[in-house]
Amino acid sequence: MAKDVIIACDFSSKQEVANFLDKFKEESLYIKIGMELFYAEGPSIIKEIKNRGHKIFLDLKLHDIPNTVKKAMSVLSNLEVDMCNVHAAGTVAMMEAALQGLTRADGSRPLLIAVTQLTSTSEERMKQDLWINEPMDKVVMHYAQNAKKAGLDGVVCSPLEAGKVHETCGKEFLTITPGVRFADGEKGDQVRVMTPAQAREIGSDYIVVGRPITAASDPVAAYHRCVAEFLG
Ligand code: C5P
């Protein structure tokens, strides 16, 4: 099973991304592109990063009726991204449709993962706003099981949930975990964090790391430190 460090490139323009990637010379990276950059720059940002030889996790978190998600996914599949995602709240039927849309004529496809509950949603808000009355960890595990049932490859979750997701859905089911910080680094707005080494111990398959790398005084050194700690 491939384990990797995914760099969250939360920049607001193509130029800023290019300046960041220029620092890495010949290295092949795994880059996460989010809504902000994709909506601002369009599909050309994907082509540019691919042309530099990097892998892409396109983090657009699709959530719509199954037919619309299926068609949208087939567009993303043609962009040759390596990983993309949907909200598990869209139901098993929507996730199945997403997988169909993503699968190319030759049977190949990018990895497809599900967002369970966003970490910005507290248990209290989930109860009051969404009328979901089960405890958060039960909801996350149920959504992960739904994603597995639909044939998806894994879920985005907190590093603290990764072990339980593997227990519930099996070792092969991928856990992609943000909220990673160096032991001596700033936490910023992340509350529940783990170091790359702790994320490895708990069984995260991919860690998503943004500011500890992108805002470091030496991003290349910070990336190498992260890879060394995570891959051991
Ligand atoms: O800069 P930082 O390391 O906090 O970046 C983490 C990345 O992971 C950001 O792109 C953030 O949007 C994303 N993310 C997260 N928590 C989630 C889901 C995604 O931090 N639950």
Side-chain angles (χ1 to χ4, degrees):
M1 185 65 60
K3 295 206 171 216
D4 217 338
V5 173
I6 301 178
I7 306 176
C9 268
D10 293 323
F11 297 113
S12 45
S13 73
K14 209 184 267 192
Q15 192 54 53
E16 281 176 79
V17 178
N19 292 345
F20 174 75
L21 294 177
D22 282 347
K23 299 182 202 298
F24 286 87
K25 312 274 183 256
E26 301 298 307
E27 263 172 304
S28 177
L29 308 170
Y30 213 132
I31 300 294
K32 180 173 91 75
I33 295 298
M35 291 182 204
E36 191 186 342
L37 194 62
F38 189 74
Y39 295 156
E41 301 286 0
S44 68
I45 185 75
I46 304 297
K47 289 193 189 114
E48 283 192 23
I49 296 173
K50 289 292 299 182
N51 286 342
R52 285 171 178 259
H54 304 307
K55 287 186 169 177
I56 296 186
F57 168 20
L58 185 56
D59 180 17
L60 297 182
K61 303 184 178 73
L62 276 69
H63 186 175
D64 207 319
I65 60 170
N67 189 49
T68 301
V69 170
K70 181 176 171 180
K71 288 183 182 166
M73 279 298 176
S74 101
V75 176
L76 299 188
S77 189
N78 287 334
L79 290 181
E80 302 285 330
V81 299
D82 299 280
M83 184 188 292
C84 52
N85 58 3
V86 292
H87 270 285
T91 74
V92 172
M94 189 205 75
M95 290 190 274
E96 285 170 347
L99 206 57
Q100 283 170 18
L102 211 52
T103 306
R104 305 181 185 109
D106 65 0
S108 68
R109 65 168 176 81
L111 290 173
L112 182 60
I113 58 169
V115 175
T116 54
Q117 281 292 340
L118 292 170
T119 43
S120 53
T121 307
S122 66
E123 193 165 293
E124 191 194 358
R125 293 262 59 94
M126 190 175 71
K127 284 199 167 93
Q128 289 188 10
D129 297 356
L130 308 180
W131 282 13
I132 297 172
N133 285 311
E134 299 292 339
M136 180 63 81
D137 62 333
K138 248 181 124 178
V139 175
V140 168
M141 291 315 140
H142 180 58
Y143 282 23
Q145 282 174 308
N146 281 351
K148 189 174 180 195
K149 196 156 128 196
L152 270 61
D153 302 295
V155 287
V156 185
C157 62
S158 144
L160 300 160
E161 292 156 351
K164 188 125 186 255
V165 168
H166 279 137
E167 271 171 37
T168 310
C169 298
K171 261 188 139 161
E172 302 302 308
F173 194 68
L174 301 174
T175 52
I176 290 86
T177 61
V180 174
R181 291 293 178 266
F182 291 120
D184 53 1
E186 294 280 327
K187 273 169 77 174
D189 52 1
Q190 296 280 13
V191 182
R192 299 182 303 151
V193 298
M194 270 194 189
T195 65
Q198 287 168 329
R200 178 192 70 223
E201 277 158 29
I202 209 157
S204 293
D205 296 293
Y206 294 86
I207 51 173
V208 177
V209 189
R211 289 159 293 179
I213 295 172
T214 57
S217 54
D218 184 345
V220 177
Y223 171 70
H224 288 150
R225 177 181 172 190
C226 202
V227 170
E229 284 190 21
F230 182 57
L231 299 182

